[in-house]
């Protein structure tokens, strides 16, 4: 069974950092384009970052603060989040798609999400 599992969420003060991890079971994550999405209460889900064979991309709202990367040895994709703001509070989801050449518009596999709360 193909699954994605996120970890690393939690409560952090404004200006702090968190690193989210996305791990896969049943397939090799490095063979897929991987993206992070988030959904805040009462808001639509939005794309945060994506990593593919040709490029990494980030939403304007997180550019310069968030970094997406692959750990090939451990088959994990990370989202390093720095200078966190209360507006970053959301459930963060990892998603993967076999269309690995570029960041696709839709993703085939999704994780259950991890909560990130930025508050003093």
């Amino acid at each position: 069974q193909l699954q994605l599992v996120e970890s690393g969420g939690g409560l952090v003060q404004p200006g702090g950092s968190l690193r989210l991890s996305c791990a896969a079971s049943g397939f090799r994550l490095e063979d897929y384009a991987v993206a992070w999405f988030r959904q805040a209460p009462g808001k639509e889900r939005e794309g945060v970052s994506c990593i593919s064979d040709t490029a990494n991309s980030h939403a304007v709202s997180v550019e310069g603060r968030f970094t997406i990367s692959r750990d090939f040895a451990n088959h994990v994709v990370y989202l390093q989040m720095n200078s966190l703001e209360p507006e970053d509070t959301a459930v963060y989801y990892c998603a993967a798609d076999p269309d690995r050449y570029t960041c696709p518009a839709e993703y085939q596999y999704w994780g259950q999400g991890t909560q990130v709360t930025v508050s003093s």
Side-chain angles (χ1 to χ4, degrees):
Q1 188 174 0
L2 307 183
Q3 289 185 325
L4 291 173
V5 178
E6 303 95 337
S7 61
L11 173 64
V12 64
Q13 292 186 342
S17 298
L18 282 175
R19 188 178 74 167
L20 304 183
S21 299
C22 175
S25 63
F27 62 100
R28 286 160 37 98
L29 203 56
E30 53 265 40
D31 293 336
Y32 290 69
V34 178
W36 287 94
F37 291 80
R38 66 185 181 186
Q39 187 165 21
K43 295 187 177 181
E44 292 188 355
R45 186 176 65 196
E46 65 170 337
V48 175
S49 301
C50 171
I51 189 166
S52 69
D53 282 358
T54 57
N56 299 352
S57 64
H58 300 277
V60 172
S61 59
V62 305
E63 189 73 50
R65 300 188 298 123
F66 290 13
T67 303
I68 189 170
S69 63
R70 291 189 192 270
D71 180 341
F72 289 95
N74 294 302
H75 311 291
V76 175
V77 170
Y78 296 113
L79 183 67
Q80 177 66 46
M81 305 187 296
N82 300 326
S83 302
L84 283 161
E85 304 167 353
E87 294 73 22
D88 296 316
T89 295
V91 177
Y92 283 71
Y93 298 91
C94 173
D97 194 87
D99 183 7
R100 56 186 278 187
Y101 184 71
T102 62
C103 292
E106 296 185 357
Y107 289 79
Q108 187 170 357
Y109 301 106
W110 290 82
Q112 294 299 308
T114 184
Q115 176 70 45
V116 171
T117 303
V118 185
S119 175
S120 55

